Amino acid sequence: MSTTVDQLRALLSRVEERRNGPRLRAVPAAVAATPAPANEVRPAERISALPERKPPAGATPLENAIAGGLSPTPVPGNKPASMELDLDDFEAPQTAVSKAPVASPRGGEVAHRAAPTVPQTDPFAGDPFASSPPPAPAAKPAPAPAPAVARAPAPAPAPAPARPAPTPAPAPAPTAPTARIAAAEPSASAPVARAMTRARVETPRTFGELLDLSLSLRPRD
Amino acid sequence: MTTGFDPGSYYAFDLARGSVVTKHGERVLVLSTATVGPLVSLAVKHGDLTGVRALGKRIGEDAIRSLGTDVRDATPEAVVTHASGTLAVLGFGALTLERWGEALVIDLAGAPPLDGEQLGLAALLGGLLTSLGGRDIACVPVADNARFLVVHPQVAEEIWTWAKEGRSLPEIVARLGREAA
């Protein structure tokens, strides 16, 4: 076994020498101990730099890896650990590994999907329509809206003060969009929907007019 | 005459620096909705969606640059084309405007699920329209999924209460009237 290691070490050393030249055979201690210039990248940062991605020169890491991998571990029975391995020893790890890939993606997927829809205990603590951040938590507005549970339509709605029905109103409310303005880009040949508004509704020609019309709406009392 | 939205070269990927920059020079992050969703939910929970609204304003500014003309004088179709295109390249869904009588409604199809109440998207769209309109505008999520009513910020709270009571979009529109001059 030791012969093999020595041969491998010699072979590696020759390969390194042929590839990198004799200067990489051994790093002089004086060079290694020389402090880096102020503008030089420190070793920890060299990992991400492209020119440094080649394997490190010198045989030291390989040497350690090989020696560590081939040295038998002494056991109480005075036998190398590798001699006690049997095929049965691998059964348990195999079954354990076979379960992991199945369970893990499912769990992860469920967790990801559930994350955005986590019920919020206090979904509307502040004013989401405000363009400036809310004041300190102590100055929370008094009429805080009900939590998410109350979002569903209540079976017995609060007595609305003479709520006007939509149909008998003088100007019946639309039950469908009166016009749909879509982007012309995805289907340039498709006809842009025209405003099929009622006669009483103005047809804004510009985006500014369209906005003004909508922003002028207020709740009817 | 405005041109169509050009999504080409919207992003520039600089792998050496590890950065993604839009063609307008703004550095952006490409994030999973599974990451952004909980962050927006947290912002909703704390009642501070200023950051999301600011993002909407930036998107609106991008759309204005893409449009290239004065927004107020542009046709609604041209504005929608560029606003929708800008939102789409950022992955926020396909925007369409609807007129419900005199009310303006945004339909954001295929929008990512950010928070259960859609308030994050409402803040985003409010910021977008604020940029486009040049004044403070609010968008209120209404009962229909992914539909947002465009209103003055002063009445947003009341309309949101109606929506939470379960009133449909036609009902809400019927309860609105033009402010007396």
Side-chain angles (χ1 to χ4, degrees):
Chain A
M1 188 67 73
S2 65
T3 313
T4 311
V5 172
D6 288 338
Q7 285 175 345
L8 189 58
R9 198 179 295 168
L11 181 65
L12 282 170
S13 149
R14 276 201 299 273
V15 168
E16 287 293 330
E17 188 174 326
R18 192 170 300 172
R19 185 183 297 167
N20 299 325
R23 64 186 175 86
L24 291 180
R25 195 176 204 169
V27 180
V31 174
T34 303
N39 58 350
E40 185 177 322
V41 182
R42 305 300 296 174
E45 295 168 339
R46 281 182 194 160
I47 294 168
S48 60
L50 275 175
E52 300 297 329
R53 292 182 71 181
K54 59 186 178 186
T60 311
L62 286 174
E63 202 174 298
N64 290 338
I66 292 170
L70 295 179
S71 298
T73 308
V75 293
N78 203 17
K79 284 191 288 184
S82 57
M83 298 292 287
E84 296 206 333
L85 293 178
D86 196 6
L87 284 179
D88 295 340
D89 295 342
F90 294 100
E91 282 183 3
Q94 278 173 350
T95 49
V97 168
S98 65
K99 284 178 183 173
V102 179
S104 152
R106 285 183 187 167
E109 192 175 340
V110 170
H112 275 296
R113 284 184 183 166
T117 55
V118 169
Q120 300 151 14
T121 51
D122 188 10
F124 197 60
D127 183 5
F129 311 112
S131 56
S132 56
K140 197 173 165 183
V149 182
R151 195 189 176 205
R163 188 178 122 214
T167 30
T175 54
T178 45
R180 191 182 297 270
I181 303 158
E185 189 64 16
S187 54
S189 60
V192 177
R194 299 295 174 199
M196 296 179 295
T197 54
R198 293 180 176 83
R200 67 176 191 83
V201 179
E202 300 167 12
T203 306
R205 292 181 180 178
T206 66
F207 182 73
E209 291 173 10
L210 198 66
L211 267 185
D212 291 343
L213 202 57
S214 190
L215 294 178
S216 69
L217 297 178
R218 295 286 184 277
R220 289 181 184 147
D221 294 324
Chain B
M1 189 70 185
T2 58
T3 57
F5 177 76
D6 177 20
S9 307
Y10 186 83
Y11 293 112
F13 295 92
D14 189 339
L15 298 186
R17 293 183 182 179
S19 66
V20 185
V21 181
T22 67
K23 66 180 177 184
H24 303 299
E26 186 183 17
R27 183 166 179 176
V28 294
L29 290 176
V30 181
L31 293 174
S32 157
T33 51
T35 304
V36 179
L39 291 176
V40 174
S41 288
L42 196 66
V44 170
K45 193 175 174 180
H46 288 282
D48 184 5
L49 285 163
T50 317
V52 184
R53 196 174 165 88
L55 174 63
K57 286 182 182 176
R58 303 293 287 268
I59 296 172
E61 288 163 8
D62 269 10
I64 292 171
R65 278 192 288 256
S66 173
L67 182 65
T69 59
D70 183 29
V71 178
R72 285 193 62 84
D73 293 337
T75 63
E77 289 83 1
V79 176
V80 169
T81 297
H82 290 269
S84 175
T86 311
L87 276 173
V89 293
L90 291 166
F92 281 107
L95 179 142
T96 308
L97 281 187
E98 292 175 351
R99 289 191 61 209
W100 288 66
E102 293 176 331
L104 191 61
V105 174
I106 290 179
D107 182 1
L108 195 61
L114 297 182
D115 63 288
E117 304 281 333
Q118 305 271 37
L119 290 175
L121 288 174
L124 183 92
L125 294 172
L128 170 75
L129 284 186
T130 296
S131 276
L132 294 175
R135 56 173 157 158
D136 248 5
I137 296 174
C139 291
V140 181
V142 287
D144 307 59
N145 238 354
R147 276 209 167 98
F148 302 86
L149 190 58
V150 179
V151 292
H152 195 283
Q154 284 178 354
V155 300
E157 191 76 35
E158 190 169 356
I159 294 171
W160 167 243
T161 308
W162 295 348
K164 285 207 302 180
E165 287 170 356
R167 299 192 190 279
S168 66
L169 182 55
E171 280 181 283
I172 291 174
V173 171
R175 298 183 75 178
L176 295 174
R178 204 186 301 187
E179 190 181 34

PDB file of all heavy atoms in Angstrom, chain A residues 120 123-126 128-129, chain B residues 40 44 49 52 115-125 139-141 148 160:
ATOM      1  N   GLN A 120     -53.365  36.257   7.950  1.00  0.00           N
ATOM      2  CA  GLN A 120     -52.772  37.342   8.719  1.00  0.00           C
ATOM      3  C   GLN A 120     -53.688  37.674   9.876  1.00  0.00           C
ATOM      4  O   GLN A 120     -54.892  37.764   9.725  1.00  0.00           O
ATOM      5  CB  GLN A 120     -52.613  38.563   7.828  1.00  0.00           C
ATOM      6  CG  GLN A 120     -51.724  38.286   6.651  1.00  0.00           C
ATOM      7  CD  GLN A 120     -52.101  39.136   5.477  1.00  0.00           C
ATOM      8  OE1 GLN A 120     -52.838  40.086   5.607  1.00  0.00           O
ATOM      9  NE2 GLN A 120     -51.582  38.775   4.323  1.00  0.00           N
ATOM     10  N   PRO A 123     -54.483  42.095   9.166  1.00  0.00           N
ATOM     11  CA  PRO A 123     -54.088  42.360   7.779  1.00  0.00           C
ATOM     12  C   PRO A 123     -54.109  43.816   7.404  1.00  0.00           C
ATOM     13  O   PRO A 123     -53.560  44.189   6.386  1.00  0.00           O
ATOM     14  CB  PRO A 123     -55.131  41.587   6.976  1.00  0.00           C
ATOM     15  CG  PRO A 123     -56.329  41.584   7.855  1.00  0.00           C
ATOM     16  CD  PRO A 123     -55.825  41.556   9.257  1.00  0.00           C
ATOM     17  N   PHE A 124     -54.746  44.631   8.184  1.00  0.00           N
ATOM     18  CA  PHE A 124     -54.941  46.009   7.724  1.00  0.00           C
ATOM     19  C   PHE A 124     -54.666  46.958   8.865  1.00  0.00           C
ATOM     20  O   PHE A 124     -55.506  47.742   9.282  1.00  0.00           O
ATOM     21  CB  PHE A 124     -56.377  46.147   7.215  1.00  0.00           C
ATOM     22  CG  PHE A 124     -56.577  47.353   6.370  1.00  0.00           C
ATOM     23  CD1 PHE A 124     -55.849  47.520   5.214  1.00  0.00           C
ATOM     24  CD2 PHE A 124     -57.478  48.320   6.724  1.00  0.00           C
ATOM     25  CE1 PHE A 124     -56.026  48.628   4.436  1.00  0.00           C
ATOM     26  CE2 PHE A 124     -57.666  49.437   5.946  1.00  0.00           C
ATOM     27  CZ  PHE A 124     -56.937  49.584   4.795  1.00  0.00           C
ATOM     28  N   ALA A 125     -53.471  46.823   9.406  1.00  0.00           N
ATOM     29  CA  ALA A 125     -53.143  47.607  10.595  1.00  0.00           C
ATOM     30  C   ALA A 125     -53.010  49.083  10.258  1.00  0.00           C
ATOM     31  O   ALA A 125     -53.219  49.930  11.095  1.00  0.00           O
ATOM     32  CB  ALA A 125     -51.861  47.088  11.208  1.00  0.00           C
ATOM     33  N   GLY A 126     -52.640  49.405   9.076  1.00  0.00           N
ATOM     34  CA  GLY A 126     -52.462  50.808   8.708  1.00  0.00           C
ATOM     35  C   GLY A 126     -53.209  51.121   7.439  1.00  0.00           C
ATOM     36  O   GLY A 126     -54.085  50.387   7.024  1.00  0.00           O
ATOM     37  N   PRO A 128     -53.103  51.178   3.698  1.00  0.00           N
ATOM     38  CA  PRO A 128     -52.274  50.711   2.578  1.00  0.00           C
ATOM     39  C   PRO A 128     -52.332  51.635   1.381  1.00  0.00           C
ATOM     40  O   PRO A 128     -51.564  51.494   0.453  1.00  0.00           O
ATOM     41  CB  PRO A 128     -52.875  49.357   2.249  1.00  0.00           C
ATOM     42  CG  PRO A 128     -54.290  49.469   2.659  1.00  0.00           C
ATOM     43  CD  PRO A 128     -54.311  50.389   3.851  1.00  0.00           C
ATOM     44  N   PHE A 129     -53.261  52.550   1.367  1.00  0.00           N
ATOM     45  CA  PHE A 129     -53.390  53.434   0.214  1.00  0.00           C
ATOM     46  C   PHE A 129     -52.630  54.734   0.410  1.00  0.00           C
ATOM     47  O   PHE A 129     -52.618  55.584  -0.463  1.00  0.00           O
ATOM     48  CB  PHE A 129     -54.871  53.731  -0.044  1.00  0.00           C
ATOM     49  CG  PHE A 129     -55.700  52.488  -0.063  1.00  0.00           C
ATOM     50  CD1 PHE A 129     -56.626  52.241   0.921  1.00  0.00           C
ATOM     51  CD2 PHE A 129     -55.512  51.532  -1.036  1.00  0.00           C
ATOM     52  CE1 PHE A 129     -57.374  51.087   0.923  1.00  0.00           C
ATOM     53  CE2 PHE A 129     -56.253  50.373  -1.044  1.00  0.00           C
ATOM     54  CZ  PHE A 129     -57.191  50.146  -0.064  1.00  0.00           C
TER      55      PHE A 129
ATOM     56  N   VAL B  40     -44.116  41.101   1.426  1.00  0.00           N
ATOM     57  CA  VAL B  40     -45.249  42.008   1.207  1.00  0.00           C
ATOM     58  C   VAL B  40     -46.328  41.763   2.267  1.00  0.00           C
ATOM     59  O   VAL B  40     -46.935  42.697   2.784  1.00  0.00           O
ATOM     60  CB  VAL B  40     -45.809  41.829  -0.219  1.00  0.00           C
ATOM     61  CG1 VAL B  40     -47.061  42.648  -0.417  1.00  0.00           C
ATOM     62  CG2 VAL B  40     -44.761  42.242  -1.247  1.00  0.00           C
ATOM     63  N   VAL B  44     -47.953  44.454   4.747  1.00  0.00           N
ATOM     64  CA  VAL B  44     -49.396  44.662   4.911  1.00  0.00           C
ATOM     65  C   VAL B  44     -49.771  44.566   6.380  1.00  0.00           C
ATOM     66  O   VAL B  44     -50.540  45.365   6.917  1.00  0.00           O
ATOM     67  CB  VAL B  44     -50.182  43.625   4.074  1.00  0.00           C
ATOM     68  CG1 VAL B  44     -51.662  43.667   4.414  1.00  0.00           C
ATOM     69  CG2 VAL B  44     -49.971  43.870   2.589  1.00  0.00           C
ATOM     70  N   LEU B  49     -47.040  50.084   3.384  1.00  0.00           N
ATOM     71  CA  LEU B  49     -46.733  49.591   2.039  1.00  0.00           C
ATOM     72  C   LEU B  49     -46.025  50.667   1.224  1.00  0.00           C
ATOM     73  O   LEU B  49     -46.094  50.673  -0.003  1.00  0.00           O
ATOM     74  CB  LEU B  49     -48.024  49.146   1.342  1.00  0.00           C
ATOM     75  CG  LEU B  49     -48.569  47.816   1.864  1.00  0.00           C
ATOM     76  CD1 LEU B  49     -50.008  47.619   1.466  1.00  0.00           C
ATOM     77  CD2 LEU B  49     -47.729  46.669   1.323  1.00  0.00           C
ATOM     78  N   VAL B  52     -43.609  49.273  -1.387  1.00  0.00           N
ATOM     79  CA  VAL B  52     -44.250  48.676  -2.568  1.00  0.00           C
ATOM     80  C   VAL B  52     -44.797  49.776  -3.471  1.00  0.00           C
ATOM     81  O   VAL B  52     -44.706  49.709  -4.690  1.00  0.00           O
ATOM     82  CB  VAL B  52     -45.371  47.714  -2.128  1.00  0.00           C
ATOM     83  CG1 VAL B  52     -45.974  47.024  -3.325  1.00  0.00           C
ATOM     84  CG2 VAL B  52     -44.836  46.692  -1.150  1.00  0.00           C
ATOM     85  N   ASP B 115     -50.039  38.842  -1.289  1.00  0.00           N
ATOM     86  CA  ASP B 115     -50.693  38.762   0.017  1.00  0.00           C
ATOM     87  C   ASP B 115     -52.159  38.428  -0.203  1.00  0.00           C
ATOM     88  O   ASP B 115     -52.699  38.665  -1.291  1.00  0.00           O
ATOM     89  CB  ASP B 115     -50.548  40.081   0.785  1.00  0.00           C
ATOM     90  CG  ASP B 115     -51.238  41.236   0.081  1.00  0.00           C
ATOM     91  OD1 ASP B 115     -50.721  41.674  -0.950  1.00  0.00           O
ATOM     92  OD2 ASP B 115     -52.298  41.669   0.558  1.00  0.00           O
ATOM     93  N   GLY B 116     -52.778  37.880   0.810  1.00  0.00           N
ATOM     94  CA  GLY B 116     -54.142  37.381   0.659  1.00  0.00           C
ATOM     95  C   GLY B 116     -55.148  38.459   0.329  1.00  0.00           C
ATOM     96  O   GLY B 116     -56.141  38.201  -0.348  1.00  0.00           O
ATOM     97  N   GLU B 117     -54.920  39.670   0.772  1.00  0.00           N
ATOM     98  CA  GLU B 117     -55.898  40.743   0.582  1.00  0.00           C
ATOM     99  C   GLU B 117     -55.653  41.551  -0.691  1.00  0.00           C
ATOM    100  O   GLU B 117     -56.377  42.497  -0.958  1.00  0.00           O
ATOM    101  CB  GLU B 117     -55.841  41.697   1.778  1.00  0.00           C
ATOM    102  CG  GLU B 117     -56.041  41.031   3.121  1.00  0.00           C
ATOM    103  CD  GLU B 117     -57.507  40.740   3.402  1.00  0.00           C
ATOM    104  OE1 GLU B 117     -58.350  41.463   2.872  1.00  0.00           O
ATOM    105  OE2 GLU B 117     -57.785  39.791   4.149  1.00  0.00           O
ATOM    106  N   GLN B 118     -54.621  41.227  -1.419  1.00  0.00           N
ATOM    107  CA  GLN B 118     -54.260  41.940  -2.658  1.00  0.00           C
ATOM    108  C   GLN B 118     -53.863  43.390  -2.394  1.00  0.00           C
ATOM    109  O   GLN B 118     -53.879  44.216  -3.314  1.00  0.00           O
ATOM    110  CB  GLN B 118     -55.430  41.924  -3.673  1.00  0.00           C
ATOM    111  CG  GLN B 118     -55.934  40.552  -4.001  1.00  0.00           C
ATOM    112  CD  GLN B 118     -55.211  39.917  -5.177  1.00  0.00           C
ATOM    113  OE1 GLN B 118     -54.009  40.088  -5.335  1.00  0.00           O
ATOM    114  NE2 GLN B 118     -55.930  39.197  -5.977  1.00  0.00           N
ATOM    115  N   LEU B 119     -53.542  43.696  -1.167  1.00  0.00           N
ATOM    116  CA  LEU B 119     -53.202  45.082  -0.850  1.00  0.00           C
ATOM    117  C   LEU B 119     -51.814  45.451  -1.373  1.00  0.00           C
ATOM    118  O   LEU B 119     -51.545  46.621  -1.668  1.00  0.00           O
ATOM    119  CB  LEU B 119     -53.271  45.301   0.669  1.00  0.00           C
ATOM    120  CG  LEU B 119     -54.689  45.268   1.240  1.00  0.00           C
ATOM    121  CD1 LEU B 119     -54.665  45.370   2.754  1.00  0.00           C
ATOM    122  CD2 LEU B 119     -55.504  46.412   0.662  1.00  0.00           C
ATOM    123  N   GLY B 120     -50.942  44.465  -1.461  1.00  0.00           N
ATOM    124  CA  GLY B 120     -49.619  44.741  -2.022  1.00  0.00           C
ATOM    125  C   GLY B 120     -49.715  45.160  -3.473  1.00  0.00           C
ATOM    126  O   GLY B 120     -49.106  46.159  -3.889  1.00  0.00           O
ATOM    127  N   LEU B 121     -50.502  44.412  -4.240  1.00  0.00           N
ATOM    128  CA  LEU B 121     -50.680  44.778  -5.646  1.00  0.00           C
ATOM    129  C   LEU B 121     -51.407  46.111  -5.770  1.00  0.00           C
ATOM    130  O   LEU B 121     -51.127  46.905  -6.670  1.00  0.00           O
ATOM    131  CB  LEU B 121     -51.456  43.674  -6.378  1.00  0.00           C
ATOM    132  CG  LEU B 121     -50.667  42.374  -6.636  1.00  0.00           C
ATOM    133  CD1 LEU B 121     -51.590  41.319  -7.217  1.00  0.00           C
ATOM    134  CD2 LEU B 121     -49.489  42.627  -7.561  1.00  0.00           C
ATOM    135  N   ALA B 122     -52.361  46.350  -4.848  1.00  0.00           N
ATOM    136  CA  ALA B 122     -53.084  47.629  -4.877  1.00  0.00           C
ATOM    137  C   ALA B 122     -52.110  48.787  -4.667  1.00  0.00           C
ATOM    138  O   ALA B 122     -52.200  49.819  -5.353  1.00  0.00           O
ATOM    139  CB  ALA B 122     -54.164  47.634  -3.801  1.00  0.00           C
ATOM    140  N   ALA B 123     -51.192  48.621  -3.727  1.00  0.00           N
ATOM    141  CA  ALA B 123     -50.210  49.684  -3.476  1.00  0.00           C
ATOM    142  C   ALA B 123     -49.292  49.866  -4.685  1.00  0.00           C
ATOM    143  O   ALA B 123     -48.943  50.990  -5.064  1.00  0.00           O
ATOM    144  CB  ALA B 123     -49.394  49.350  -2.233  1.00  0.00           C
ATOM    145  N   LEU B 124     -48.906  48.743  -5.287  1.00  0.00           N
ATOM    146  CA  LEU B 124     -48.042  48.807  -6.466  1.00  0.00           C
ATOM    147  C   LEU B 124     -48.729  49.571  -7.606  1.00  0.00           C
ATOM    148  O   LEU B 124     -48.138  50.455  -8.227  1.00  0.00           O
ATOM    149  CB  LEU B 124     -47.682  47.390  -6.917  1.00  0.00           C
ATOM    150  CG  LEU B 124     -46.724  47.300  -8.086  1.00  0.00           C
ATOM    151  CD1 LEU B 124     -45.293  47.218  -7.566  1.00  0.00           C
ATOM    152  CD2 LEU B 124     -47.007  46.091  -8.945  1.00  0.00           C
ATOM    153  N   LEU B 125     -49.983  49.222  -7.854  1.00  0.00           N
ATOM    154  CA  LEU B 125     -50.715  49.875  -8.936  1.00  0.00           C
ATOM    155  C   LEU B 125     -51.012  51.335  -8.597  1.00  0.00           C
ATOM    156  O   LEU B 125     -51.029  52.190  -9.486  1.00  0.00           O
ATOM    157  CB  LEU B 125     -52.021  49.108  -9.212  1.00  0.00           C
ATOM    158  CG  LEU B 125     -51.826  47.700  -9.772  1.00  0.00           C
ATOM    159  CD1 LEU B 125     -53.149  46.958  -9.831  1.00  0.00           C
ATOM    160  CD2 LEU B 125     -51.184  47.745 -11.153  1.00  0.00           C
ATOM    161  N   CYS B 139     -55.521  52.696  -5.607  1.00  0.00           N
ATOM    162  CA  CYS B 139     -56.215  51.574  -6.228  1.00  0.00           C
ATOM    163  C   CYS B 139     -56.727  50.683  -5.099  1.00  0.00           C
ATOM    164  O   CYS B 139     -55.974  50.325  -4.203  1.00  0.00           O
ATOM    165  CB  CYS B 139     -55.278  50.774  -7.135  1.00  0.00           C
ATOM    166  SG  CYS B 139     -54.795  51.658  -8.615  1.00  0.00           S
ATOM    167  N   VAL B 140     -57.997  50.325  -5.178  1.00  0.00           N
ATOM    168  CA  VAL B 140     -58.608  49.530  -4.109  1.00  0.00           C
ATOM    169  C   VAL B 140     -58.977  48.156  -4.671  1.00  0.00           C
ATOM    170  O   VAL B 140     -59.675  48.078  -5.694  1.00  0.00           O
ATOM    171  CB  VAL B 140     -59.880  50.226  -3.573  1.00  0.00           C
ATOM    172  CG1 VAL B 140     -60.487  49.413  -2.440  1.00  0.00           C
ATOM    173  CG2 VAL B 140     -59.544  51.625  -3.106  1.00  0.00           C
ATOM    174  N   PRO B 141     -58.508  47.100  -4.035  1.00  0.00           N
ATOM    175  CA  PRO B 141     -58.928  45.775  -4.513  1.00  0.00           C
ATOM    176  C   PRO B 141     -60.406  45.557  -4.245  1.00  0.00           C
ATOM    177  O   PRO B 141     -60.870  45.768  -3.129  1.00  0.00           O
ATOM    178  CB  PRO B 141     -58.053  44.808  -3.681  1.00  0.00           C
ATOM    179  CG  PRO B 141     -57.594  45.597  -2.509  1.00  0.00           C
ATOM    180  CD  PRO B 141     -57.614  47.032  -2.892  1.00  0.00           C
ATOM    181  N   PHE B 148     -59.005  46.154  -9.561  1.00  0.00           N
ATOM    182  CA  PHE B 148     -58.694  47.264  -8.658  1.00  0.00           C
ATOM    183  C   PHE B 148     -59.393  48.515  -9.171  1.00  0.00           C
ATOM    184  O   PHE B 148     -59.237  48.880 -10.346  1.00  0.00           O
ATOM    185  CB  PHE B 148     -57.175  47.488  -8.608  1.00  0.00           C
ATOM    186  CG  PHE B 148     -56.408  46.268  -8.161  1.00  0.00           C
ATOM    187  CD1 PHE B 148     -56.037  45.299  -9.080  1.00  0.00           C
ATOM    188  CD2 PHE B 148     -56.081  46.085  -6.826  1.00  0.00           C
ATOM    189  CE1 PHE B 148     -55.341  44.164  -8.678  1.00  0.00           C
ATOM    190  CE2 PHE B 148     -55.387  44.959  -6.422  1.00  0.00           C
ATOM    191  CZ  PHE B 148     -55.014  43.995  -7.346  1.00  0.00           C
ATOM    192  N   TRP B 160     -62.802  50.492   0.265  1.00  0.00           N
ATOM    193  CA  TRP B 160     -62.199  49.235   0.752  1.00  0.00           C
ATOM    194  C   TRP B 160     -63.120  48.569   1.773  1.00  0.00           C
ATOM    195  O   TRP B 160     -63.274  47.349   1.796  1.00  0.00           O
ATOM    196  CB  TRP B 160     -60.829  49.549   1.355  1.00  0.00           C
ATOM    197  CG  TRP B 160     -60.221  48.446   2.149  1.00  0.00           C
ATOM    198  CD1 TRP B 160     -59.915  48.450   3.477  1.00  0.00           C
ATOM    199  CD2 TRP B 160     -59.818  47.160   1.675  1.00  0.00           C
ATOM    200  NE1 TRP B 160     -59.362  47.264   3.856  1.00  0.00           N
ATOM    201  CE2 TRP B 160     -59.291  46.446   2.765  1.00  0.00           C
ATOM    202  CE3 TRP B 160     -59.866  46.538   0.428  1.00  0.00           C
ATOM    203  CZ2 TRP B 160     -58.806  45.152   2.657  1.00  0.00           C
ATOM    204  CZ3 TRP B 160     -59.385  45.240   0.319  1.00  0.00           C
ATOM    205  CH2 TRP B 160     -58.854  44.573   1.420  1.00  0.00           C
TER     206      TRP B 160
END
